[in-house]
Amino acid sequence: MGSEQVRTVGGHAGEQAVAAMGAFGTDVMFTLNGGHIWPLYEAARNQGVHVVDVRHEQSATFAAEAYAKLTRRPGLAALTAGPGVTNGVSAVTSAYFNGSPMVVMGGRAPQGRWGAGSLQELDHVPILDPVTKSAVTVTDPARSAAVTYEAARIATEPHRGPTFVDYPMDVLFGGDGGEIPAGGTSGPRGEEPDPDAVTALASMIASSARPAFIVGSDVYWGHAETALEAAAAALGVPCFFNGMGRGTIPADHDLAFLRTRGLLKQRADLVVVLGTPLDFRLGFGTFGDATVAHVVDASTQVAEHVDVHTVAGDIARTLEGLAAHGGDRVDHAEWMAELRAAETRAAESELPMLTASDDPIKPGRIYGELRQRLARDAVVICDGGDFASYAGKLIEVFEPGCWLDTGPYGCLGSGLGYAVAARTVRPDSQIVLLLGDGAAGFSLMDVDSLVRQDLPVVMVVGNNGMWGLEKHPMQAVYGWDLACDLQPECRYDEVVRALGGDGELVTSPDEIGPALDRGFESGVPYLVNVATDPTDVYPRSSNLA
């Protein structure tokens, strides 16, 4: 390790790998048991790392990503060789799109007999390489600690993301010690932003009449919420939110706006996008006639499809630079008042949706009841299409790290893994998992994992008996639909009950609130299965491609 100070890590390669993760504060391993990775379990047992096991490797990997989202430390998934690793690929890809730091440890067939046809012999690295920041194989037991430490460092370095290390079985069981850098790992803050670019951005904001911030996940990852509030207050800029940017400023803060982002295309003259890609969720970087600026956490994230003023580097430092702007600025009070009035009108217009007494049940009524019961630090997890989109529209977030959705990759099946991690990491918070009935089919078996490990979670299924995100658009485009129907009122609650949890079917709007109360009071995994109106169409406006 060159001239830097190092410390020795004793034990076989598995002990070294787990110790290297411990240097970054990672204290939970998510896994599904496989013989190729037993030394990792031995190491976790010896080192006091909590092991949480699930029923499918996708859930282990999603759980590791959720651990990262909730703690801002690298998540850890341990997957056995071959199908164990490939079962986790979609979740790794989702973490790659989300910029979530985690290390996936994979088992691997023995190095000493490679090519002879051992059980589950597969070179995983070429498969994982396109969807990770790094993918490597440890070939020397003495290097296990160093290679794993480097993987965790790369995962946590902006722009963050997953890394993959696999360990041949004979390597993982072998060795008697290695080295990792000595000292703490506070986490890299990223490159220094160009001060001239920051000054130019501050001048753009100060001279604009109607600016806005759109706050994305990398603001959260960069621990930049304090700097965000300072910059927005100093420059008088309203804030809108995307992904894990939700909660970086409380939803009831004077600077927070939740319902009026559509006005930016009509009225804003400057939109500054902070820490999220200029992708389909943001009109590919176009907001009517507004000038757009982009703040990213690394030069690798500079958008190539649009020409906008961009500041690349540590987002907290960029925001601190904006807050320190000492020049004159246009008074934005009138713009703030216009947005606040529109926000108030929009909130009032939601009331019929939140209180609807229609039969069949409208999805909005579910959120009207849920909003009355959520604590400020509740962790809300979204796994679905239209039903989850209603959550994005109607649920308010008040604290950082309390909103977990699928992100731009849109990979369903994340919900149960996310919930496993959320209850593990936040034992005293409300954990609410919002599932479309389609999404529930991907991972509901992992209720067993919740039950076995005493992880109570309240699950709410919006059960409209279809793949709604596909059925209604197909009808609009073709006049017919195909492969879109599910069982009406399928008893997902009975599945949960059979697995050791509890739940109930709700078919009347007045039953929703009491059912939620019973779920929160139950102390077990509890599924509220709400039969919703199959004719309800979410008012989607995004251009997905």
Side-chain angles (χ1 to χ4, degrees), residues 27-31 40-41 43-45 48-53 453:
D27 57 2
V28 182
M29 175 190 294
F30 300 95
T31 192
L40 297 176
Y41 302 152
R45 188 170 184 269
V49 172
H50 182 43
V51 175
V52 178
D53 68 295
Q453 289 156 111

Side-chain angles (χ1 to χ4, degrees), residues 370-394:
L370 185 60
R371 276 176 31 163
Q372 298 175 48
R373 293 162 170 81
L374 288 178
R376 289 183 74 87
D377 68 343
V379 177
V380 177
I381 302 164
C382 299
D383 185 8
D386 284 353
F387 186 62
S389 295
Y390 274 111
K393 181 180 179 68
L394 298 171

Side-chain angles (χ1 to χ4, degrees), residues 9 20 28 65 89 105 115 123 210 217 221 322 341 369 396 443:
V9 177
V28 182
E65 187 199 9
V89 169
M105 295 182 177
D123 187 3
R210 296 179 301 280
S217 297
W221 288 119
L322 296 181
E369 297 292 338
E396 298 174 331
S443 58

Side-chain angles (χ1 to χ4, degrees), residues 1-377:
M1 292 195 173
S3 60
E4 65 182 324
Q5 296 294 310
V6 299
R7 67 179 178 91
T8 300
V9 177
H12 55 58
E15 293 280 3
Q16 297 174 47
V18 172
M21 293 300 300
F24 291 82
T26 302
D27 57 2
V28 182
M29 175 190 294
F30 300 95
T31 192
L32 192 159
N33 198 310
H36 288 86
I37 54 176
W38 284 354
L40 297 176
Y41 302 152
E42 180 187 10
R45 188 170 184 269
N46 292 340
Q47 297 177 36
V49 172
H50 182 43
V51 175
V52 178
D53 68 295
V54 295
R55 298 296 296 268
H56 194 291
E57 286 88 359
Q58 72 170 4
S59 291
T61 315
F62 278 127
E65 187 199 9
Y67 175 96
K69 287 185 170 186
L70 291 158
T71 66
R72 292 189 274 203
R73 302 193 295 268
L76 171 59
L79 311 181
T80 198
V85 171
T86 56
N87 279 347
V89 169
S90 287
V92 173
T93 307
S94 189
Y96 185 72
F97 275 76
N98 290 336
S100 301
M102 68 177 188
V103 176
V104 177
M105 295 182 177
R108 187 179 173 98
Q111 179 175 274
R113 193 169 282 165
W114 192 260
S118 296
L119 174 67
Q120 297 170 342
E121 181 180 304
L122 175 70
D123 187 3
H124 313 116
V125 170
I127 298 171
L128 274 297
D129 184 69
V131 292
T132 57
K133 292 186 69 180
S134 70
V136 297
T137 299
V138 176
T139 58
D140 178 357
R143 292 280 300 155
S144 178
V147 172
T148 306
Y149 184 98
E150 180 67 4
R153 185 196 65 76
I154 291 170
T156 56
E157 181 180 72
H159 182 65
R160 299 163 183 85
T163 57
F164 175 77
V165 183
D166 66 2
Y167 308 81
M169 195 172 183
D170 47 353
V171 172
L172 194 59
F173 277 87
D176 59 3
E179 294 179 340
I180 61 173
T185 53
S186 58
R189 290 193 66 176
E191 59 196 78
E192 191 73 31
D194 180 349
D196 292 336
V198 175
T199 298
L201 178 58
S203 297
M204 291 169 67
I205 297 168
S207 61
S208 68
R210 296 179 301 280
F213 285 162
I214 295 181
V215 182
S217 297
D218 291 332
V219 173
Y220 170 76
W221 288 119
H223 296 262
E225 51 265 34
T226 299
L228 167 66
E229 185 175 354
L235 293 167
V237 183
C239 296
F240 300 79
F241 306 93
N242 175 284
M244 294 198 74
R246 293 170 176 260
T248 51
I249 290 179
D252 53 1
H253 194 288
D254 288 344
L255 294 167
F257 295 84
L258 313 176
R259 303 167 177 88
T260 49
R261 199 164 82 183
L263 270 180
L264 300 185
K265 294 181 180 180
Q266 304 164 24
R267 296 285 293 139
D269 60 357
L270 174 66
V271 176
V272 182
V273 178
L274 303 167
T276 195
L278 302 178
D279 60 17
F280 70 93
R281 297 169 297 171
L282 298 180
F284 303 99
T286 300
F287 295 87
D289 295 329
T291 298
V292 176
H294 199 197
V295 174
V296 297
D297 64 358
S299 56
T300 56
Q301 301 306 296
V302 175
E304 297 182 353
H305 63 283
V306 289
D307 183 15
V308 298
H309 179 78
T310 302
V311 181
D314 181 75
I315 291 178
R317 289 196 178 103
T318 296
L319 290 168
E320 289 162 2
L322 296 181
H325 177 70
D328 295 334
R329 72 168 176 86
V330 173
D331 186 353
H332 301 141
E334 186 174 332
W335 169 232
M336 284 281 202
E338 177 186 340
L339 286 173
R340 184 55 61 194
E343 186 83 9
T344 301
R345 291 192 300 272
E348 291 171 350
S349 72
E350 288 174 355
L351 289 176
M353 186 188 311
L354 297 169
T355 59
S357 58
D358 301 56
D359 185 3
I361 297 167
K362 294 292 187 182
R365 176 63 182 270
I366 301 171
Y367 292 107
E369 297 292 338
L370 185 60
R371 276 176 31 163
Q372 298 175 48
R373 293 162 170 81
L374 288 178
R376 289 183 74 87
D377 68 343

